Amino acid sequence: MESSNERFLHIVEEIQNAVNDCFLYAARNNPNAFVLFLAKACWHGELINQYLFDYMGYDYQDETRNNFYVQHMQMYYPTKIYDYSEEDNKGIYNLQIEMLIYSQLWESQPLLYKLASLANICSGASYDWKLVVPDSKLFTYINEQIIAHLKDEGLKLGEIIEQCYNSNFRNALAHGLYSIDRDKQTIRLYNRDAIKTGKTTFTFYEFQSMFLHAVLLDNMIYKLLNEYRKKFAEGNMQMPPFPISDADKRLIMVSAKQDLETKRVKFEGKIIGN
């Protein structure tokens, strides 16, 4: 049986390998779209130059949420799995903090934007400059636009997301329709959708597994995206010109450089032709 430390390291390795394999797959099979993904390229119709690189709006929107869960993980999961029973009432308090983090994570449009964009690229589609994550019906969106695309390409990341994303659990948390039994170490859901499925009770172990996979996935996407951006800049790479999109056949050249003082990576795009 795995120790707490071994289990934690196993999950970290599983997530890292799955995300990295996904990045490598996208880079190999759809390099033009993948480099636009690294460049954080997006469409901004209100500007004269409507094709933006290094768009930081999503990062700024998600900064507070990210800092919150990172601080929590550093305090309670430095090298091993946190035990909810270790600190009596405080353990149950931290369990509910993690339920809050879990609920917010699957509502994060910046995270879902990255996952949906990556899934599109892996499926072979051209880069979607105008990708928009909907405000509602996220269950359908996550399953059809993220999980299905990744699983169709045989990517482990699709399976991991499918296992750690539970819309019934998220909805129950969002509406306060749950109760915790400390003695039985279970969480019970009372929302109608959960009742329809017949799965209304989760053990602490089941929830913690979903939580850890989800939060480490969120963190690893952010971490590896920055690492790949840095590698692209350090290699002084420059993509051969390629069409901007299916609708705009003009060619664009993409390059990146790293500021020696700040270490910040900056991507640039140059449109060729009118």
Side-chain angles (χ1 to χ4, degrees):
M1 184 175 180
E2 287 182 317
S3 68
S4 177
N5 176 259
E6 289 171 336
R7 181 178 166 227
F8 182 75
L9 293 178
H10 175 79
I11 295 174
V12 171
E13 183 180 16
E14 180 186 19
I15 299 297
Q16 182 171 359
N17 289 341
V19 176
N20 192 53
D21 287 348
C22 193
F23 276 35
L24 291 174
Y25 185 91
R28 181 174 62 250
N29 294 289
N30 202 349
N32 294 341
F34 183 66
V35 76
L36 291 175
F37 173 75
L38 295 184
K40 300 182 181 180
C42 73
W43 170 268
H44 199 308
E46 297 179 1
L47 299 179
I48 295 176
N49 180 12
Q50 296 171 326
Y51 296 104
L52 294 184
F53 282 75
D54 287 333
Y55 177 67
M56 299 301 292
Y58 296 131
D59 293 311
Y60 294 144
Q61 291 171 21
D62 226 17
E63 187 174 19
T64 299
R65 182 187 68 85
N66 279 320
N67 288 340
F68 178 68
Y69 84 70
V70 167
Q71 183 179 16
H72 177 84
M73 295 298 289
Q74 288 173 342
M75 289 176 62
Y76 297 102
Y77 292 86
T79 58
K80 65 176 184 177
I81 305 292
Y82 177 72
D83 186 347
Y84 299 128
S85 65
E86 279 186 354
E87 301 177 271
D88 200 25
N89 288 331
K90 188 174 182 182
I92 300 303
Y93 173 83
N94 283 327
L95 168 62
Q96 293 188 84
I97 291 294
E98 290 175 12
M99 292 163 67
L100 171 64
I101 292 171
Y102 179 87
S103 180
Q104 287 185 335
L105 184 148
W106 291 117
E107 290 285 343
S108 168
Q109 290 204 355
L111 170 63
L112 297 180
Y113 178 92
K114 292 185 183 76
L115 291 174
S117 183
L118 186 59
N120 280 343
I121 294 167
C122 288
S123 71
S126 298
Y127 187 76
D128 189 351
W129 289 84
K130 300 180 181 180
L131 189 151
V132 175
V133 176
D135 292 324
S136 60
K137 298 182 179 179
L138 289 179
F139 171 78
T140 300
Y141 186 80
I142 291 171
N143 277 279
E144 295 182 358
Q145 301 302 319
I146 298 175
I147 294 173
H149 286 331
L150 294 173
K151 289 184 68 176
D152 285 348
E153 301 305 316
L155 292 164
K156 179 71 172 179
L157 184 59
E159 295 179 16
I160 289 175
I161 296 173
E162 185 176 47
Q163 292 167 5
C164 69
Y165 170 65
N166 187 297
S167 64
N168 292 332
F169 202 102
R170 186 200 61 78
N171 290 336
L173 302 186
H175 296 93
L177 296 172
Y178 70 91
S179 62
I180 295 173
D181 189 319
R182 186 171 60 187
D183 294 330
K184 294 181 180 179
Q185 296 194 356
T186 57
I187 304 164
R188 186 171 182 182
L189 311 182
Y190 299 100
N191 53 320
R192 284 176 293 181
D193 289 338
I195 293 171
K196 286 180 182 178
T197 66
K199 175 64 173 176
T200 57
T201 302
F202 291 78
T203 66
F204 287 0
Y205 183 93
E206 287 176 317
F207 166 71
Q208 192 170 52
S209 180
M210 291 194 304
F211 167 76
L212 286 175
H213 279 81
V215 79
L216 290 171
L217 165 64
D218 188 354
N219 188 255
M220 197 60 67
I221 288 285
Y222 177 83
K223 178 182 176 182
L224 289 185
L225 176 57
N226 286 328
E227 287 185 7
Y228 271 73
R229 282 169 54 87
K230 185 178 179 181
K231 288 179 182 178
F232 192 92
E234 288 177 343
N236 198 27
M237 300 179 190
Q238 184 167 305
M239 298 290 292
F242 59 88
I244 294 174
S245 67
D246 291 338
D248 191 337
K249 298 300 183 181
R250 290 180 299 169
L251 300 181
I252 189 169
M253 292 182 65
V254 179
S255 60
K257 60 184 178 181
Q258 185 177 32
D259 187 282
L260 296 178
E261 290 187 12
T262 64
K263 303 299 180 182
R264 183 177 182 274
V265 174
K266 182 179 181 181
F267 275 76
E268 296 179 344
K270 180 180 180 182
I271 297 176
I272 303 173
N274 298 319

